[in-house]
Structures are given as C-alpha cells and as structure tokens.
Amino acid sequence: MRLLALISLINTAGTGLWMVASPLYLTRYAGLSITATGLALTATGLVCMVASAPMGYVADRLGAREVFVAGLVAQAIGTAMFVFVPNVWVYLLIGAPLALADAAQRAAKGAVIGGAVPPEDRVRARAYLRSVTNVGIAIGSALAGVVLAVDTRWAYAALILTDALTYLVAAALATRLERIPRHAHEPGAPRMVALRDRPFLAFVLLDGLLSVHFGLFEVGLPLWIAHRTDAPTWLIAVVYLTNTTAVVLLQVRAARGTEEPAGAARAARRAGLTLLIACGLYALSGHAHAWVTITLLIAGALTHVVGELWHSASGWGISFGLSPADKHGQYQGAYAIGMQLGQMLAPLVVTTLAVGWGDPGWLLLGVAFAAAGAAMPATVDRAMRNRPQLPTPREAIAAEG
C-alpha cells in the first residue's frame, strides 16, 4: 500500500499539472480552437471509456503489474509528444493511443489492488489511494499556477515534460509491485465476461447515474453560484477547498462497512438520499440573500461531499465483491465505464437541468440520484445470487508453486 500510494502521489501530481494547464496550452500554443479542444477531449474520453474493459481483459491475460507498467510508460511517451502538437489532427493522432494506455493502466491498477490486497482491505486501499490522489492533484495544480503566471510556450513545454517524467518514475516504482498471476483464456469460453454479466452491468449503469454528481460539483455548481445566486464568486474556491479537504481527511473513514457488496449497496442508497438533500439545499440558495445564501451553499457542499464519499466507497466494494478472482482487470475496466459515462454526460445534463431549469432541474437531479441509490441493494443482491466462488489470487500463486 505504501508503494501504491507513492506511485499514485507522483502520478496524480503530474495529472494536476496537465489538468490545470492543458486548456490554455491547447488553445494558445497548440493550434486548437476552443470548440476543437472540447471535441478532442470528448473523443479521447470516448476511446478511454470503450477500451476500459478490453484493456482490463489484456491485464488479466498478460499480467496486471506488467500492463500497469507498460501503460504508464506509454503515457509518458505520448504525453511528451504533446510538446509538438500543431493542430487538432495531430492531437487526436497522439491522444487516441494515449487514451488506450490510460485505460490499460487504470484497469491494471484495479487488478493489482484486487490481486495483491486481501479482500477485506481492498476498499480501504481504494479509499486511501483516493485521499492520496487528491493530495497529488492539489500539489500539481499549485505548481501549474506558476506556469500559468509565466504563460510562455517554453514554460508549458517544461510542464508537459515534467508530467511525462512523473509517469516514468511511477512506472519504475510499479516494477517493484507484487506479481499478479496471469490467467489463461479457457478454450470455448467467452472472452469479455464482464460485458456479458447483465447484473453487473446494471450496477455499472446505476453507478454511472450517481457519477453525474461529480460534474454537478465541477461544472454546475460554479455556474449556479456565479449566475443564479447573489453569493460572491470567491465562494467557488471555498467550496472546492471544502470538498478536497473532506476527501483527504474522511474518505477512509467513510469506506468503513463497505467491504462486502451488501454493505456497499446500503452505502450507495445513503449516498443517493444525501445527494437529494444537497440538491435541495442548492436550489434553496437561489431564493436566499446575503449570508443565508452562503450558508445554504456551504451546507449543500458539505452534504454533497458526504454523498460523494459514500458513493465512491460503495462502488469499490461492489465492483470488487462482484468480480471473479481471475478477472479483476476486465471487471474493474467495466466498472470504470459507468463513471466515465456519467462524467462525460454530466456537463450537458447539469447545465441544462440545474443551471437552466432551476428548481425543477435540481429536483429532477436529486430524485434521479435517490432512485439510483435506492435501486442498488436489489441490483447487487441479484448479482450475488449463484455467483461462482473462484480461487483467490494468493491461492492461485500457491497452486502455481
């Protein structure tokens, strides 16, 4: 866990660098228009989403650690090539394979956790890594601020190469992870089992619906504060800081009780209800004034982050609990599809409903969150019935001698 945490800290610090600076770099120095930037990011996001489960299958077949390392190295190479992007077509030529590498390392990382961490500790491991991830992104974002202040092409080039270097360092550290046994494909058996597992896909769909709340926080709420309330715009930064701090400090604690699928499903139900309450508080802030508006927005943000913590923990517990021991890669890849789909649709959904419609939109979003959470226990119970019990990865290693 210490090694995984160090890898995540280094990797996500680089992610924070690129995440903050990439829009300006692409539009000012890489020849992309604002519209082209949005379309290009959406296209690469689609590639990553579609490739998630297949890349997880590759990790199961070739070895999770090996695919994890290879994905990080490929991301280092692809990221460094962004220095030479002159237009949107070259960006896509680099970005599409980079998205494949991203899908591979994400699915493989889930398989590494599923294979190297005891079942009772997997959710706690995910929670701990998410806390570390927020710290890493915060560090990278702060460093990116220096580049934004300098705002020259060479400064952005240095940032991109630094991001590439973080992938290489993470890959070097990942070679020291425990080896996860490879799982050969049985002749005649279907290859993409996760995508044929309808109860599991029902969970993925519900989790994707709940994942829309990430876009609500990142896109909808800032626009709501700026355009539909009388709150000062600096409150947006306060809300972001509140969320990041809460995730770093409370994610591990919020994950307690979600180690088994049944407990995780109950956490998803609590998350849906909590997000409904948060949506109600946000809606009320549009009718308040002065300090009452600020109080409602902060109360909504605090309620929202509690729902976020429960939702994240529930997804980890359910996805690991429903995953056969020899298919963690493809199941973790399939699980990622829901969140990626939710985050992809979120900007359009939340701006149309919450910011555009106001109270009815907030109510519709909140009810959708609550309904998705309420459906989770029955969905998970159905998925658990008659699920085969396969040997654990440690038993597989022992069997190999």
PDB file of all heavy atoms in Angstrom, residues 224 228-231 279-290 292-294 296-297 357-360 362:
ATOM      1  N   TRP A 224     -23.849  27.895 -11.183  1.00  0.00           N
ATOM      2  CA  TRP A 224     -25.014  28.259 -10.364  1.00  0.00           C
ATOM      3  C   TRP A 224     -24.667  29.403  -9.413  1.00  0.00           C
ATOM      4  O   TRP A 224     -25.410  30.371  -9.282  1.00  0.00           O
ATOM      5  CB  TRP A 224     -25.490  27.040  -9.584  1.00  0.00           C
ATOM      6  CG  TRP A 224     -26.631  27.293  -8.649  1.00  0.00           C
ATOM      7  CD1 TRP A 224     -26.564  27.479  -7.302  1.00  0.00           C
ATOM      8  CD2 TRP A 224     -28.021  27.404  -8.987  1.00  0.00           C
ATOM      9  NE1 TRP A 224     -27.806  27.686  -6.778  1.00  0.00           N
ATOM     10  CE2 TRP A 224     -28.735  27.639  -7.790  1.00  0.00           C
ATOM     11  CE3 TRP A 224     -28.726  27.318 -10.175  1.00  0.00           C
ATOM     12  CZ2 TRP A 224     -30.113  27.798  -7.755  1.00  0.00           C
ATOM     13  CZ3 TRP A 224     -30.110  27.467 -10.144  1.00  0.00           C
ATOM     14  CH2 TRP A 224     -30.782  27.701  -8.955  1.00  0.00           C
ATOM     15  N   ARG A 228     -26.742  32.363 -10.757  1.00  0.00           N
ATOM     16  CA  ARG A 228     -28.102  32.225 -10.243  1.00  0.00           C
ATOM     17  C   ARG A 228     -28.228  32.526  -8.758  1.00  0.00           C
ATOM     18  O   ARG A 228     -29.305  32.334  -8.178  1.00  0.00           O
ATOM     19  CB  ARG A 228     -28.616  30.805 -10.520  1.00  0.00           C
ATOM     20  CG  ARG A 228     -28.684  30.426 -11.997  1.00  0.00           C
ATOM     21  CD  ARG A 228     -29.716  31.259 -12.759  1.00  0.00           C
ATOM     22  NE  ARG A 228     -31.071  30.965 -12.291  1.00  0.00           N
ATOM     23  CZ  ARG A 228     -31.848  30.003 -12.785  1.00  0.00           C
ATOM     24  NH1 ARG A 228     -31.414  29.255 -13.776  1.00  0.00           N
ATOM     25  NH2 ARG A 228     -33.055  29.805 -12.309  1.00  0.00           N
ATOM     26  N   THR A 229     -27.149  32.963  -8.111  1.00  0.00           N
ATOM     27  CA  THR A 229     -27.217  33.376  -6.701  1.00  0.00           C
ATOM     28  C   THR A 229     -26.510  34.724  -6.544  1.00  0.00           C
ATOM     29  O   THR A 229     -25.805  35.187  -7.453  1.00  0.00           O
ATOM     30  CB  THR A 229     -26.544  32.351  -5.761  1.00  0.00           C
ATOM     31  OG1 THR A 229     -25.113  32.479  -5.859  1.00  0.00           O
ATOM     32  CG2 THR A 229     -26.953  30.927  -6.114  1.00  0.00           C
ATOM     33  N   ASP A 230     -26.693  35.325  -5.373  1.00  0.00           N
ATOM     34  CA  ASP A 230     -26.004  36.587  -5.097  1.00  0.00           C
ATOM     35  C   ASP A 230     -24.736  36.370  -4.278  1.00  0.00           C
ATOM     36  O   ASP A 230     -24.172  37.316  -3.717  1.00  0.00           O
ATOM     37  CB  ASP A 230     -26.942  37.570  -4.376  1.00  0.00           C
ATOM     38  CG  ASP A 230     -27.381  37.071  -2.998  1.00  0.00           C
ATOM     39  OD1 ASP A 230     -27.033  35.923  -2.630  1.00  0.00           O
ATOM     40  OD2 ASP A 230     -28.074  37.826  -2.288  1.00  0.00           O
ATOM     41  N   ALA A 231     -24.287  35.112  -4.193  1.00  0.00           N
ATOM     42  CA  ALA A 231     -23.067  34.804  -3.446  1.00  0.00           C
ATOM     43  C   ALA A 231     -21.845  35.332  -4.186  1.00  0.00           C
ATOM     44  O   ALA A 231     -21.821  35.373  -5.425  1.00  0.00           O
ATOM     45  CB  ALA A 231     -22.936  33.300  -3.248  1.00  0.00           C
ATOM     46  N   CYS A 279     -29.025  18.616  -3.358  1.00  0.00           N
ATOM     47  CA  CYS A 279     -29.679  19.316  -4.474  1.00  0.00           C
ATOM     48  C   CYS A 279     -30.749  20.273  -3.952  1.00  0.00           C
ATOM     49  O   CYS A 279     -30.920  21.382  -4.487  1.00  0.00           O
ATOM     50  CB  CYS A 279     -30.300  18.305  -5.440  1.00  0.00           C
ATOM     51  SG  CYS A 279     -29.093  17.415  -6.452  1.00  0.00           S
ATOM     52  N   GLY A 280     -31.485  19.860  -2.921  1.00  0.00           N
ATOM     53  CA  GLY A 280     -32.493  20.733  -2.335  1.00  0.00           C
ATOM     54  C   GLY A 280     -31.883  21.984  -1.723  1.00  0.00           C
ATOM     55  O   GLY A 280     -32.419  23.096  -1.878  1.00  0.00           O
ATOM     56  N   LEU A 281     -30.751  21.827  -1.046  1.00  0.00           N
ATOM     57  CA  LEU A 281     -30.076  22.988  -0.444  1.00  0.00           C
ATOM     58  C   LEU A 281     -29.549  23.932  -1.522  1.00  0.00           C
ATOM     59  O   LEU A 281     -29.649  25.159  -1.397  1.00  0.00           O
ATOM     60  CB  LEU A 281     -28.934  22.513   0.452  1.00  0.00           C
ATOM     61  CG  LEU A 281     -29.364  21.784   1.728  1.00  0.00           C
ATOM     62  CD1 LEU A 281     -28.155  21.132   2.406  1.00  0.00           C
ATOM     63  CD2 LEU A 281     -30.036  22.754   2.699  1.00  0.00           C
ATOM     64  N   TYR A 282     -28.992  23.364  -2.590  1.00  0.00           N
ATOM     65  CA  TYR A 282     -28.524  24.202  -3.691  1.00  0.00           C
ATOM     66  C   TYR A 282     -29.684  24.994  -4.299  1.00  0.00           C
ATOM     67  O   TYR A 282     -29.556  26.193  -4.604  1.00  0.00           O
ATOM     68  CB  TYR A 282     -27.867  23.348  -4.778  1.00  0.00           C
ATOM     69  CG  TYR A 282     -26.548  22.727  -4.384  1.00  0.00           C
ATOM     70  CD1 TYR A 282     -26.164  21.483  -4.902  1.00  0.00           C
ATOM     71  CD2 TYR A 282     -25.672  23.370  -3.526  1.00  0.00           C
ATOM     72  CE1 TYR A 282     -24.956  20.905  -4.572  1.00  0.00           C
ATOM     73  CE2 TYR A 282     -24.461  22.792  -3.172  1.00  0.00           C
ATOM     74  CZ  TYR A 282     -24.109  21.562  -3.700  1.00  0.00           C
ATOM     75  OH  TYR A 282     -22.904  20.991  -3.362  1.00  0.00           O
ATOM     76  N   ALA A 283     -30.822  24.331  -4.495  1.00  0.00           N
ATOM     77  CA  ALA A 283     -31.982  25.009  -5.081  1.00  0.00           C
ATOM     78  C   ALA A 283     -32.453  26.152  -4.191  1.00  0.00           C
ATOM     79  O   ALA A 283     -32.768  27.249  -4.674  1.00  0.00           O
ATOM     80  CB  ALA A 283     -33.112  24.009  -5.309  1.00  0.00           C
ATOM     81  N   LEU A 284     -32.481  25.922  -2.884  1.00  0.00           N
ATOM     82  CA  LEU A 284     -32.925  26.968  -1.958  1.00  0.00           C
ATOM     83  C   LEU A 284     -32.001  28.179  -1.980  1.00  0.00           C
ATOM     84  O   LEU A 284     -32.446  29.316  -1.765  1.00  0.00           O
ATOM     85  CB  LEU A 284     -32.992  26.402  -0.535  1.00  0.00           C
ATOM     86  CG  LEU A 284     -34.141  25.419  -0.250  1.00  0.00           C
ATOM     87  CD1 LEU A 284     -33.989  24.838   1.152  1.00  0.00           C
ATOM     88  CD2 LEU A 284     -35.487  26.128  -0.392  1.00  0.00           C
ATOM     89  N   SER A 285     -30.706  27.940  -2.252  1.00  0.00           N
ATOM     90  CA  SER A 285     -29.755  29.054  -2.259  1.00  0.00           C
ATOM     91  C   SER A 285     -30.092  30.074  -3.346  1.00  0.00           C
ATOM     92  O   SER A 285     -29.717  31.241  -3.243  1.00  0.00           O
ATOM     93  CB  SER A 285     -28.326  28.531  -2.461  1.00  0.00           C
ATOM     94  OG  SER A 285     -28.148  28.031  -3.779  1.00  0.00           O
ATOM     95  N   GLY A 286     -30.796  29.643  -4.380  1.00  0.00           N
ATOM     96  CA  GLY A 286     -31.176  30.571  -5.447  1.00  0.00           C
ATOM     97  C   GLY A 286     -32.281  31.529  -5.047  1.00  0.00           C
ATOM     98  O   GLY A 286     -32.546  32.499  -5.771  1.00  0.00           O
ATOM     99  N   HIS A 287     -32.918  31.276  -3.892  1.00  0.00           N
ATOM    100  CA  HIS A 287     -34.009  32.137  -3.418  1.00  0.00           C
ATOM    101  C   HIS A 287     -33.614  32.946  -2.193  1.00  0.00           C
ATOM    102  O   HIS A 287     -34.425  33.723  -1.689  1.00  0.00           O
ATOM    103  CB  HIS A 287     -35.233  31.285  -3.076  1.00  0.00           C
ATOM    104  CG  HIS A 287     -35.748  30.477  -4.220  1.00  0.00           C
ATOM    105  ND1 HIS A 287     -36.539  31.005  -5.229  1.00  0.00           N
ATOM    106  CD2 HIS A 287     -35.556  29.168  -4.545  1.00  0.00           C
ATOM    107  CE1 HIS A 287     -36.828  30.055  -6.098  1.00  0.00           C
ATOM    108  NE2 HIS A 287     -36.238  28.931  -5.715  1.00  0.00           N
ATOM    109  N   ALA A 288     -32.388  32.745  -1.701  1.00  0.00           N
ATOM    110  CA  ALA A 288     -31.941  33.416  -0.484  1.00  0.00           C
ATOM    111  C   ALA A 288     -31.096  34.640  -0.825  1.00  0.00           C
ATOM    112  O   ALA A 288     -30.835  34.939  -2.002  1.00  0.00           O
ATOM    113  CB  ALA A 288     -31.145  32.437   0.379  1.00  0.00           C
ATOM    114  N   HIS A 289     -30.641  35.325   0.217  1.00  0.00           N
ATOM    115  CA  HIS A 289     -29.851  36.540   0.038  1.00  0.00           C
ATOM    116  C   HIS A 289     -28.729  36.599   1.081  1.00  0.00           C
ATOM    117  O   HIS A 289     -28.864  36.065   2.190  1.00  0.00           O
ATOM    118  CB  HIS A 289     -30.727  37.793   0.156  1.00  0.00           C
ATOM    119  CG  HIS A 289     -31.850  37.850  -0.836  1.00  0.00           C
ATOM    120  ND1 HIS A 289     -31.647  38.156  -2.163  1.00  0.00           N
ATOM    121  CD2 HIS A 289     -33.182  37.608  -0.694  1.00  0.00           C
ATOM    122  CE1 HIS A 289     -32.806  38.120  -2.803  1.00  0.00           C
ATOM    123  NE2 HIS A 289     -33.755  37.790  -1.930  1.00  0.00           N
ATOM    124  N   ALA A 290     -27.634  37.222   0.663  1.00  0.00           N
ATOM    125  CA  ALA A 290     -26.507  37.535   1.553  1.00  0.00           C
ATOM    126  C   ALA A 290     -26.003  36.285   2.271  1.00  0.00           C
ATOM    127  O   ALA A 290     -25.750  35.256   1.647  1.00  0.00           O
ATOM    128  CB  ALA A 290     -26.910  38.630   2.519  1.00  0.00           C
ATOM    129  N   VAL A 292     -27.388  34.157   4.157  1.00  0.00           N
ATOM    130  CA  VAL A 292     -28.228  32.956   4.080  1.00  0.00           C
ATOM    131  C   VAL A 292     -27.854  32.148   2.833  1.00  0.00           C
ATOM    132  O   VAL A 292     -27.782  30.908   2.870  1.00  0.00           O
ATOM    133  CB  VAL A 292     -29.721  33.332   4.053  1.00  0.00           C
ATOM    134  CG1 VAL A 292     -30.582  32.075   3.933  1.00  0.00           C
ATOM    135  CG2 VAL A 292     -30.099  34.114   5.304  1.00  0.00           C
ATOM    136  N   THR A 293     -27.599  32.828   1.734  1.00  0.00           N
ATOM    137  CA  THR A 293     -27.172  32.147   0.507  1.00  0.00           C
ATOM    138  C   THR A 293     -25.871  31.398   0.743  1.00  0.00           C
ATOM    139  O   THR A 293     -25.730  30.226   0.363  1.00  0.00           O
ATOM    140  CB  THR A 293     -26.970  33.165  -0.632  1.00  0.00           C
ATOM    141  OG1 THR A 293     -28.162  33.924  -0.802  1.00  0.00           O
ATOM    142  CG2 THR A 293     -26.620  32.461  -1.932  1.00  0.00           C
ATOM    143  N   ILE A 294     -24.918  32.074   1.343  1.00  0.00           N
ATOM    144  CA  ILE A 294     -23.613  31.452   1.607  1.00  0.00           C
ATOM    145  C   ILE A 294     -23.772  30.239   2.515  1.00  0.00           C
ATOM    146  O   ILE A 294     -23.181  29.178   2.283  1.00  0.00           O
ATOM    147  CB  ILE A 294     -22.653  32.483   2.230  1.00  0.00           C
ATOM    148  CG1 ILE A 294     -22.362  33.595   1.218  1.00  0.00           C
ATOM    149  CG2 ILE A 294     -21.367  31.815   2.688  1.00  0.00           C
ATOM    150  CD1 ILE A 294     -21.523  34.730   1.775  1.00  0.00           C
ATOM    151  N   LEU A 296     -26.420  28.307   2.934  1.00  0.00           N
ATOM    152  CA  LEU A 296     -27.065  27.212   2.212  1.00  0.00           C
ATOM    153  C   LEU A 296     -26.096  26.532   1.244  1.00  0.00           C
ATOM    154  O   LEU A 296     -26.092  25.296   1.112  1.00  0.00           O
ATOM    155  CB  LEU A 296     -28.284  27.737   1.454  1.00  0.00           C
ATOM    156  CG  LEU A 296     -29.517  28.076   2.294  1.00  0.00           C
ATOM    157  CD1 LEU A 296     -30.542  28.822   1.451  1.00  0.00           C
ATOM    158  CD2 LEU A 296     -30.131  26.809   2.885  1.00  0.00           C
ATOM    159  N   LEU A 297     -25.271  27.320   0.570  1.00  0.00           N
ATOM    160  CA  LEU A 297     -24.322  26.741  -0.383  1.00  0.00           C
ATOM    161  C   LEU A 297     -23.260  25.903   0.325  1.00  0.00           C
ATOM    162  O   LEU A 297     -22.904  24.808  -0.139  1.00  0.00           O
ATOM    163  CB  LEU A 297     -23.664  27.851  -1.206  1.00  0.00           C
ATOM    164  CG  LEU A 297     -24.563  28.505  -2.255  1.00  0.00           C
ATOM    165  CD1 LEU A 297     -23.898  29.756  -2.821  1.00  0.00           C
ATOM    166  CD2 LEU A 297     -24.880  27.520  -3.387  1.00  0.00           C
ATOM    167  N   TRP A 357     -32.871  25.051 -15.767  1.00  0.00           N
ATOM    168  CA  TRP A 357     -34.249  24.923 -15.300  1.00  0.00           C
ATOM    169  C   TRP A 357     -34.472  25.441 -13.886  1.00  0.00           C
ATOM    170  O   TRP A 357     -35.602  25.710 -13.491  1.00  0.00           O
ATOM    171  CB  TRP A 357     -34.691  23.464 -15.351  1.00  0.00           C
ATOM    172  CG  TRP A 357     -34.840  22.914 -16.731  1.00  0.00           C
ATOM    173  CD1 TRP A 357     -34.492  23.524 -17.911  1.00  0.00           C
ATOM    174  CD2 TRP A 357     -35.365  21.637 -17.083  1.00  0.00           C
ATOM    175  NE1 TRP A 357     -34.763  22.708 -18.972  1.00  0.00           N
ATOM    176  CE2 TRP A 357     -35.310  21.537 -18.501  1.00  0.00           C
ATOM    177  CE3 TRP A 357     -35.879  20.567 -16.357  1.00  0.00           C
ATOM    178  CZ2 TRP A 357     -35.730  20.417 -19.183  1.00  0.00           C
ATOM    179  CZ3 TRP A 357     -36.312  19.441 -17.039  1.00  0.00           C
ATOM    180  CH2 TRP A 357     -36.240  19.368 -18.437  1.00  0.00           C
ATOM    181  N   GLY A 358     -33.415  25.515 -13.095  1.00  0.00           N
ATOM    182  CA  GLY A 358     -33.583  25.982 -11.722  1.00  0.00           C
ATOM    183  C   GLY A 358     -34.201  24.925 -10.824  1.00  0.00           C
ATOM    184  O   GLY A 358     -33.798  23.756 -10.857  1.00  0.00           O
ATOM    185  N   ASP A 359     -35.200  25.298 -10.050  1.00  0.00           N
ATOM    186  CA  ASP A 359     -35.780  24.400  -9.044  1.00  0.00           C
ATOM    187  C   ASP A 359     -36.237  23.057  -9.615  1.00  0.00           C
ATOM    188  O   ASP A 359     -35.900  22.000  -9.054  1.00  0.00           O
ATOM    189  CB  ASP A 359     -36.954  25.078  -8.340  1.00  0.00           C
ATOM    190  CG  ASP A 359     -36.500  26.223  -7.443  1.00  0.00           C
ATOM    191  OD1 ASP A 359     -35.271  26.369  -7.259  1.00  0.00           O
ATOM    192  OD2 ASP A 359     -37.354  26.957  -6.930  1.00  0.00           O
ATOM    193  N   PRO A 360     -36.998  23.009 -10.721  1.00  0.00           N
ATOM    194  CA  PRO A 360     -37.410  21.706 -11.256  1.00  0.00           C
ATOM    195  C   PRO A 360     -36.221  20.838 -11.661  1.00  0.00           C
ATOM    196  O   PRO A 360     -36.245  19.610 -11.479  1.00  0.00           O
ATOM    197  CB  PRO A 360     -38.263  22.082 -12.481  1.00  0.00           C
ATOM    198  CG  PRO A 360     -38.699  23.479 -12.235  1.00  0.00           C
ATOM    199  CD  PRO A 360     -37.578  24.125 -11.486  1.00  0.00           C
ATOM    200  N   TRP A 362     -33.111  20.936 -10.338  1.00  0.00           N
ATOM    201  CA  TRP A 362     -32.484  20.432  -9.124  1.00  0.00           C
ATOM    202  C   TRP A 362     -33.274  19.263  -8.553  1.00  0.00           C
ATOM    203  O   TRP A 362     -32.709  18.253  -8.120  1.00  0.00           O
ATOM    204  CB  TRP A 362     -32.375  21.533  -8.072  1.00  0.00           C
ATOM    205  CG  TRP A 362     -31.278  22.517  -8.288  1.00  0.00           C
ATOM    206  CD1 TRP A 362     -31.397  23.843  -8.567  1.00  0.00           C
ATOM    207  CD2 TRP A 362     -29.864  22.257  -8.224  1.00  0.00           C
ATOM    208  NE1 TRP A 362     -30.155  24.424  -8.697  1.00  0.00           N
ATOM    209  CE2 TRP A 362     -29.197  23.482  -8.484  1.00  0.00           C
ATOM    210  CE3 TRP A 362     -29.111  21.118  -7.979  1.00  0.00           C
ATOM    211  CZ2 TRP A 362     -27.804  23.579  -8.503  1.00  0.00           C
ATOM    212  CZ3 TRP A 362     -27.710  21.217  -7.995  1.00  0.00           C
ATOM    213  CH2 TRP A 362     -27.083  22.442  -8.256  1.00  0.00           C
TER     214      TRP A 362
END
